Every structure is written in structure tokens, then in C-alpha cells.
Amino acid sequence: MSSSTPLRVAVIGAGPAGFFTADQLVKQKDLDVRVDLFERWPTPYGLVREGVAPDHQSIKGVTRVFDRVLDHPRVRYFGNVCFGEHVTREDLRRLYDQVVYAVGAQTDRRMGIPGEDLAGSWPATDFVRWYNGQPECADLEFDLGVERAVVIGNGNVAVDVARILLTDPDVLARTDIADHALEALRASSIREVVMVGRRGPAQAKFTNVELKELGALEGVDVAVDPAELDAAPLGEDESEDRRVSRNLEILADFAGREPSGAPRRLVFRFFASPVELSGDAGAVRSVRLERNRLVPGGGGAFRAEGTGEYERIDAGLVLRSVGYHGVPLPELPFDEGAGVIPGRGGRMLDAPDGEVVPGEYVVGWIKRGPSGVIGTNKACAAETVAAMLEDAASRPETAVRGRDDDAILELLAERSPAYVTEADWARLDAEERARGEASGRPRVKLVRVDQMLELMGKRRK
Ligand code: NAP
């Protein structure tokens, strides 16, 4: 394709993967790439806004990179536009040379055990989105008037939710945590959080800094059973992994600590799987755990196997933190088992192990599943962008004639008149920061779409 012919790209989803993709596309020196970034919420940043914990502000510094992308003259932002409702796959294929799906993993994985849906048993992802002021979860009501919470899972999300439940609310009050969550956490009666891993300490997925932070929380004792550490077998990969050996050192430090009589406690439990949640009057009251042993699971790794020994832990709140899962997009292929849109090296496939669909691409969690940190998406985007540029270079000139930058504006004016531009978002961003400054916080989030649109001077459709 001639380098003077612009390459028009639609990116669906304005989270980290979408932004890194847009960034790398518009940095091309030999090709005029124009990117339209579509997002179903008025606000951009995806998981950086709705996933990263409020007491981890430094991670949110990546939004400075994203803001430069939004300011780029060849990037346009269209928030409050839902794929499949306001714009269809067909529209995008007509208006753009290439479409990239960067929609992340929108739901939680299920455990599939009895009692999972009792009141008081929640996906941890809902709790995260609630304390981060995500509009869809802003009205959820978590009963924190209980003494003990159980967090299922040994990943960084489990660490985040345990830490938020145990952190002194005066510390959280200096962050951008949603006001409704701060208020509820101030009134919380939770004194103990038990974090349950189905395998051993060496198989835990949390990263060193996040684990260590749990041992430094003011007013919180940590408890690790030394016998569970001694019994920790290492799989082939784990014995070579610096993260694992450092995690074991940190946990050994926790195991050696004497209780200080702190008002709150975090208990680590390994080698245990929840098999049932029980309740009364429809609300969870306890978790039944089965003790596990580790058995070879293939590829040098271990998997958990039940031993037939059971115990029960009383708990009025259960946060199931067993991973995210992608959801299908209208009219697009989907790999249900993996929870991803099937792809190969960033190119979308028509089915798992199927044929490449020309002009459509995947990036981020909907491409590779819910793993890695925010920065992992940079390398993921580089792979997808390389495939896009390779395909663009071999496209015939005739394939791209007649596309029009303004056609999408006409379509949106008709289908989603309250769409949000980068200037609208800048207004909301400035307002949130100003409200924060007044109270010594990085920002005070607006948590309702109507409020956001009103502030931007738009009426909701
Ligand atoms: P994750 O790291 O995949 O951890 C999921 C945990 O759930 C694992 O311990 C897993 O155990 C366990 N699990 C899965 N199914 C289970 C079941 N049926 N019963 C009991 N346990 C089960 O997922 P995540 O915590 O949701 O995090 C997602 C990604 O975001 C990760 O890459 C994470 O590092 C990242 N993240 C990063 C940060 C940060 O950098 N601060 C914060 C939050 C999230 P097995 O290992 O046995 O499967």
C-alpha cells in the first residue's frame, strides 16, 4: 500500500492493551496511521481506572503515556459507545482498514461449587470494581458488618482485596477510592481475612512486592503455618523461579512472627479447596474446605488433589478471586474454554485453530487470557501491531480507497449522540482532580454515567 494512503484503524476498548496498540501505531514514521479508540464507558484507561487498587497510585502513572496518545492529532476517542449496540462489526469493517479487539476479560471465573451464589459470596472482581467506583458496581452493597472474610485464590487480585479489607481507612482516605467504598470500609467490622490457596506456597501466583506489602500493613498481624511452608513442594519451573524463592522467603518471615495483638489479622492457608458454601436465610455463613495434597499434573507442575479431610471456617463474606474470564462479543468468534477470541500472533481466527480473518486483530487479555501486569500489554501490542503493519504493507491500493474520516461521526451522531470525545474526558478528568485536590486526594471519582455525561454537557441517550 502506498505510504501516503492513511491506514484507518478502529481499536475496541480503551484499556492498557488498546492504548499501547494505538501508541505504537501512530508512532510509525513511514505510514500515516489514524486510530479511533472506542470505549463502552465514558472514561478511558480500562483496568488502570477500574482494576488497579487505589493505594497503588504509582501504577496509575502509566496514564501519562495514555494521555499523550489521546492528545495525538491522529487519535480520536469515542467513549460511551458500545460495540454491538452503537457500532457493529459490519460498520467497522466498512469504515476501517483494520479493527483491533482490546476488550479485556469482562467477567469472573466460577468455582462451580454449591452455595457459590449465596448472598455475601462475591466475585472479587465485583468488589474491586466497587471500591474503584466502576459505574456498573457502584450500587452493590457488601455486608462488611461481619468479623471474618474468606478470600479464595492466591493471585494478585486476592492480595488486593485482602489488603483493602484490612487497611486503615484513614490511609485509604488519601487515595482515589470511591467515596461509597470508603464509607463502608470505615464502618467495617472485619477483623480477620483468611486467604485460601488450593495448592502450596510455591505455586501461589502473587508477586513479591505485593506479598511483602501484606506484612507491612499497620494494625495487621500476618499468620502463616510453618508446617504448610515446610510441606511446600517445588515444581520444575518453580525451583528455577526467583519470584517463587523470594515469595517463600517472605512467607517464612511471616511464619516466624509472633502475634503482636494487632486489631486485625491476615491468615494464609494453603493446600485447601472450598467445596461448599453454607448459609442461613440465604446468606453465607461458612466455607467448607477440603484439604489437598499435590500430585504431578503434567509438564513438571503440581496439581491439587483432595484428601477427603474436611474443615469448616465461619465467614460472613466470601470473595472468590479465582481469575477473570473473557466474554464473547456480538458476531465474533470465541473460544469458550479459554475465554478468548481465537487468534494467532495477534491476527483473529474464525475459530480456535481456524483460518485468519483478514483485517481483524486481537490484543491484551481477550487475546492471551487474563495474565500478566499492565506493562505486559506493551509487548503483546507490539506483536499485534507488527502483524497489522505487515498486512497493511501487502494490501492492494484499491482495498482502501474511498474511506472517510467523518463517516463514523455521522454514524455516532445517529446511534450514540452522547458519545464522549477526548475533550469531554479532559473536562471530567480536570473536575475529578480538582475535587481531589480540595481534599488532599489524587482525584474524587464520579461513579455514575449520568453524572459524568451531565458534567460533560451531554444528555444521555
Ligand atoms: P491469577 O494470578 O491467575 O490467580 C488466580 C488464583 O485463583 C490462583 O491462585 C489459582 O490457583 C486460583 N484458582 C483458580 N481456580 C480455582 C478454584 N477453582 N479453586 C480455588 N482456587 C482457584 O489471577 P488474578 O489474581 O485474578 O490476577 C489476574 C492477573 O492480573 C494476574 O496476572 C495478576 O498478576 C494481575 N494483577 C496484578 C496486580 C499487580 O501488579 N499489583 C494486581 C492485580 C492483578 P492455581 O494456581 O492452582 O490455578
Side-chain angles (χ1 to χ4, degrees), residues 148-382:
R148 185 184 291 123
V150 166
V151 176
I152 314 289
N154 268 179
N156 278 332
V157 171
V159 170
D160 277 348
V161 298
R163 194 181 66 253
I164 295 295
L165 282 173
L166 292 168
T167 297
D168 181 344
D170 284 343
V171 172
L172 296 176
R174 298 194 289 269
T175 72
D176 63 355
I177 191 168
D179 284 344
H180 56 248
L182 185 60
E183 198 180 316
L185 287 162
R186 280 199 189 283
S188 166
S189 317
I190 291 176
R191 296 289 165 261
E192 184 170 289
V193 174
V194 181
M195 196 195 289
V196 181
R198 65 177 167 182
R199 297 190 290 159
Q203 288 74 38
K205 298 234 172 88
F206 21 75
T207 40
N208 303 148
V209 175
E210 281 65 26
L211 177 60
K212 198 166 174 210
E213 201 179 356
L214 291 176
L217 294 177
E218 203 62 43
V220 180
D221 276 339
V222 285
V224 173
D225 180 351
E228 291 190 338
L229 270 189
D230 293 344
L234 287 159
E236 265 172 37
D237 289 350
E238 287 132 25
S239 51
E240 302 287 311
D241 189 336
R242 178 80 192 114
R243 178 189 65 82
V244 172
S245 54
R246 185 71 193 116
N247 270 354
L248 293 175
E249 283 166 22
I250 296 166
L251 288 166
D253 165 49
F254 293 175
R257 293 189 192 180
E258 290 295 326
S260 72
R264 292 179 302 281
R265 206 163 95 103
L266 172 61
V267 181
F268 290 82
R269 290 294 313 275
F270 297 100
F271 306 108
S273 283
V275 288
E276 184 180 13
L277 306 186
S278 307
D280 68 59
V284 70
R285 290 287 168 259
S286 68
V287 182
R288 188 165 186 243
L289 297 176
E290 181 174 15
R291 187 104 194 126
N292 293 328
R293 67 169 78 88
L294 296 192
V295 295
F302 285 110
R303 67 176 176 82
E305 184 181 81
T307 60
E309 283 171 58
Y310 297 92
E311 68 178 295
R312 193 175 284 283
I313 302 183
D314 291 338
L317 175 69
V318 175
L319 297 178
R320 310 179 317 258
S321 183
V322 297
Y324 289 79
H325 196 80
V327 296
L329 287 180
E331 302 172 68
L332 286 177
F334 194 65
D335 179 342
E336 190 53 58
V340 299
I341 298 176
R344 192 179 300 130
R347 293 182 175 93
M348 188 173 92
L349 303 180
D350 60 3
D353 295 319
E355 300 291 318
V356 167
V357 181
E360 290 177 275
Y361 303 84
V362 286
V363 70
W365 279 5
I366 200 65
K367 165 187 173 184
R368 59 175 211 279
S371 67
V373 294
I374 303 288
T376 312
N377 292 297
K378 211 169 171 176
C380 182

Side-chain angles (χ1 to χ4, degrees), residues 7 21 24-25 28 31 98 100 343-348 356-362 367 379-395:
L7 180 75
T21 301
Q24 294 173 27
L25 284 169
Q28 296 307 311
L31 187 63
Q98 298 181 335
V100 193
R344 192 179 300 130
R347 293 182 175 93
M348 188 173 92
V356 167
V357 181
E360 290 177 275
Y361 303 84
V362 286
K367 165 187 173 184
C380 182
E383 183 190 52
T384 298
V385 167
M388 293 168 73
L389 295 175
E390 193 181 314
D391 294 351
S394 59
R395 278 193 139 201

Side-chain angles (χ1 to χ4, degrees), residues 113-125:
I113 59 170
E116 189 166 0
D117 294 317
L118 284 169
S121 160
W122 298 89
T125 50

